Amino acid sequence: MPPQDPLAPVSLTPIGVFHCHARYPYDVPRQGVLAQDNLGWLELAPGHHFPMALEGLQGFSRLWLLFLFHQNGGRWHPKVQPPRHTRQKVGVFATRSPYRPNPLGLSCVELLDIQDHTLLLRGHDLLDGTPVLDIKPYLPYADAFPQATQGWTGEQTLPEYTVALSPSLEEKLLWLESHGLACLRQFLREQLGEAPDDPKRHRLQRTPQGAWALAYRTWRIPFHIQEDKQQVLALDLLSAYSPEELLPNTPDPYGDKDLHRAFLLQFPPAGGDSRG
């Protein structure tokens, strides 16, 4: 029998699907450890005796998930611009970018509970619908190396900022979270915590008053940078739709106009225009 080509294509079958509130890549943190409150659940595929394969896992507090970056469109780049630490491009193998030759992701998550073929997890950086390929227990004696060098990530070149929320913004975020939009708060802290006024790293716009506003799909968040305090103050949350765009029977490509209409009834905009 001829030897198998070690570079021949391989075929993998997911063992289950991950579910959570995050639908878009910018809804998740760059690392799961940056969002310790992110909840999700892994539902294993039926008919494969997977509940038996989970026996003994309950005693572990953390797990490794091996998964597919299913939204990267099969694209990869040899050099990428990291979202943190540097303005310079580096080789993709020196990053955790999802745009890789093989779209494989690895995430260390907290195990909260196991119910039959479903695992409740916390502190993740996965999207809803992510195919999961494997589960492995996290072993502190084998997986933790506190003295390991950090490469270019240890060379902090971009200033970091604390992010504060105005009372008005906090009220609106709580309302949106109660209506199903649960990812915006984490998005704000991620985006504004480093180089907040760099339009190459963030979707930024200018408000009519000249302030910066961060764009999140059809929402806008004006903010002010307090350089003396190394702080960003997120001021408000505004709908990006005009009144005309929110008229009945207008196109709704994002499927969120009913949410915006309810939001504007709850928080009427000043001056009668919903856009920031």
Side-chain angles (χ1 to χ4, degrees):
M1 183 176 180
Q4 183 177 355
D5 180 1
L7 294 180
V10 297
S11 177
L12 301 174
T13 301
I15 63 170
V17 179
F18 190 83
H19 299 284
C20 61
H21 291 294
R23 297 173 52 199
Y24 302 93
Y26 47 78
D27 284 338
V28 294
R30 299 172 181 112
Q31 303 293 337
V33 70
L34 300 176
Q36 294 292 342
D37 294 332
N38 269 12
L39 291 174
W41 64 98
L42 170 57
E43 188 172 357
L44 298 177
H48 298 280
H49 305 292
F50 286 148
M52 292 177 60
L54 295 173
E55 291 181 9
L57 194 63
Q58 187 70 266
F60 292 92
S61 61
R62 301 196 72 86
L63 309 174
W64 290 107
L65 294 184
L66 184 65
F67 59 92
L68 291 175
F69 289 113
H70 66 300
Q71 289 197 21
N72 72 357
R75 296 174 290 131
W76 79 279
H77 311 286
K79 297 192 74 173
V80 297
Q81 172 64 68
R84 301 187 67 183
H85 303 294
T86 179
R87 299 185 193 274
Q88 305 300 318
K89 287 189 175 184
V90 298
V92 69
F93 293 143
T95 75
R96 299 191 178 188
S97 167
Y99 299 102
R100 321 184 68 80
N102 292 301
L104 298 177
L106 182 67
S107 188
C108 187
V109 299
E110 184 181 357
L111 175 63
L112 299 180
D113 194 16
I114 300 175
Q115 298 180 5
D116 192 24
H117 62 285
T118 301
L119 288 73
L120 180 63
L121 306 168
R122 181 165 60 189
H124 69 85
D125 54 356
L126 282 71
L127 296 176
D128 185 54
T130 294
V132 175
L133 298 173
D134 202 4
I135 304 166
K136 298 179 186 294
Y138 174 87
L139 303 176
Y141 80 90
D143 296 338
F145 300 92
Q147 304 306 316
T149 57
Q150 302 180 59
W152 60 267
T153 67
E155 303 169 2
Q156 182 71 41
T157 59
L158 298 177
E160 292 189 345
Y161 295 78
T162 59
V163 179
L165 309 180
S166 73
S168 172
L169 175 56
E170 180 66 37
E171 181 184 8
K172 292 178 179 180
L173 285 176
L174 289 172
W175 186 91
L176 280 180
E177 288 163 355
S178 71
H179 287 73
L181 188 58
C183 301
L184 183 49
R185 185 186 300 269
Q186 180 63 34
F187 174 84
L188 279 175
R189 298 194 183 281
E190 283 276 313
Q191 295 287 314
L192 298 180
E194 192 173 85
D197 57 350
D198 186 347
K200 294 183 179 179
R201 307 174 73 88
H202 315 295
R203 289 185 58 211
L204 300 179
Q205 298 179 352
R206 286 288 192 183
T207 68
Q209 294 75 31
W212 283 115
L214 179 66
Y216 175 87
R217 292 207 296 276
T218 54
W219 303 93
R220 302 292 181 264
I221 305 95
F223 64 91
H224 174 65
I225 302 174
Q226 300 170 306
E227 293 288 359
D228 57 329
K229 299 180 180 179
Q230 286 289 107
Q231 183 181 76
V232 175
L233 176 60
L235 301 169
D236 203 355
L237 177 65
L238 307 170
S239 170
Y241 287 119
S242 68
E244 293 75 20
E245 291 171 320
L246 290 175
L247 291 174
N249 302 318
T250 54
D252 190 5
Y254 292 96
D256 65 352
K257 286 192 174 181
D258 283 343
L259 178 62
H260 278 262
R261 294 179 184 110
F263 174 84
L264 292 171
L265 286 175
Q266 182 71 21
F267 304 102
D273 192 339
S274 62
R275 286 189 286 191

